[in-house]
């Protein structure tokens, strides 16, 4: 079946540091890939998505590229802010969504 | 903006009670979903619905049922609550079943079963 594996947290960074969260997937078809973010006390919201190989999704300074050859969809941001502190979920959609376990990111001023 | 509203942010119930969690979306979405979120496990799909009165089991349906009598409302029912159902419950909706369509989430209900 489909599955998503993302790096374990928690991750703690200083402001303006570079953030990478690794995500790899296993799927039988050609799924769409998503990153969702959950801010404290809130539900999940879509951060970015990519629907086919080599697509790059981007939003709020975050980027992720759909790499079919390595079955990966790593999330990156060049300079994080305190407001980026949240839990980040990688997910794939091949008929239904499958989520990774989530990575908690804390950015310190 | 799509709004998905869950009726309670926090709920405390007792073992053996029948528990109803309500979810309403305001964008005429076809699909609705119920997940539970547990630390280290991410989100796991309990049930989903692609149409009124239609439901399908997700990955962990045991101990739960759902009801979708109207398009905008999707209810999760714990038939006889148990302590291992203490969790955060998230409702979501999407426009269609197309995998390009993102899901929109409510703020969650934190349910404690004593």
């Amino acid at each position: 079946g489909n599955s998503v594996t993302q790096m374990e947290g928690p991750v703690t960074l200083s402001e303006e540091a570079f953030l990478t969260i690794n995500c790899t997937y296993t799927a039988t078809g050609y799924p769409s890939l998503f990153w969702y973010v959950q801010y404290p006390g809130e539900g999940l919201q879509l951060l970015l998505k990519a629907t086919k190989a080599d697509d790059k999704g981007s939003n709020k300074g975050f980027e992720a590229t759909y790499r079919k050859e390595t079955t990966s969809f790593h999330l990156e941001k060049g300079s994080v802010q305190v407001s980026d502190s949240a839990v980040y979920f990688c997910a794939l959609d091949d008929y239904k969504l499958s989520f990774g376990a989530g990575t908690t990111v804390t950015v310190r001023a | 903006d799509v709004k998905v509203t869950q009726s309670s942010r926090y709920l405390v119930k007792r073992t053996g009670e029948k528990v109803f969690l309500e979810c309403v979306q305001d964008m005429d979405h076809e699909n609705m979903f119920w997940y539970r979120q547990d630390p280290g496990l991410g989100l796991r799909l309990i049930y989903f619905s692609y149409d009124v009165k239609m439901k399908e089991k997700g990955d962990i349906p045991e101990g739960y049922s759902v009801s979708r009598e109207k398009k905008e409302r999707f209810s999760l029912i714990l038939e006889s609550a148990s302590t291992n159902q203490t969790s955060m419950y998230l409702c979501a909706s999407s426009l269609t079943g197309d995998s390009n369509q993102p899901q929109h989430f409510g703020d969650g209900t934190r349910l404690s079963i004593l």
Side-chain angles (χ1 to χ4, degrees), chain A residues 36 38 41 49 51 95-96, chain B residues 9 37 56 59 100 103 106:
Chain A
Y36 283 84
Q38 185 179 34
K49 71 175 185 180
T51 58
Y95 172 61
K96 62 181 183 180
Chain B
R9 291 300 301 272
Q37 180 180 7
E56 286 198 32
D59 299 318
N100 288 333
Q103 292 186 15

Side-chain angles (χ1 to χ4, degrees), chain A residues 32 34 36 38 41-44 46 49 51 89 93 95-97 99-102, chain B residues 9 35 37 40-43 45 48 50 56 59 90 99-100 102-103 105-107:
Chain A
S32 294
F34 301 85
Y36 283 84
Q38 185 179 34
E42 298 183 13
L44 276 70
L46 178 68
K49 71 175 185 180
T51 58
F89 292 92
D93 193 336
Y95 172 61
K96 62 181 183 180
L97 269 181
F99 285 89
Chain B
R9 291 300 301 272
Y35 296 90
Q37 180 180 7
L41 297 178
L43 276 71
L45 182 63
F48 59 103
Y50 284 157
E56 286 198 32
D59 299 318
L90 291 168
S99 64
N100 288 333
Q103 292 186 15
F105 286 81
D107 286 339

Side-chain angles (χ1 to χ4, degrees), chain A residues 6-12 21 85-88 101-106:
Chain A
Q6 62 181 102
M7 65 184 279
E8 291 185 20
V11 174
T12 303
I21 304 176
S85 298
V87 183
Y88 293 82
T103 302
T104 300
V105 174
T106 302

Side-chain angles (χ1 to χ4, degrees), chain A residues 33-37 44-49 59-60, chain B residues 102-103 105:
Chain A
L33 300 175
F34 301 85
W35 277 99
Y36 283 84
V37 59
L44 276 70
Q45 54 185 274
L46 178 68
L47 182 59
L48 54 84
K49 71 175 185 180
N59 186 26
K60 298 182 180 181
Chain B
Q103 292 186 15
F105 286 81

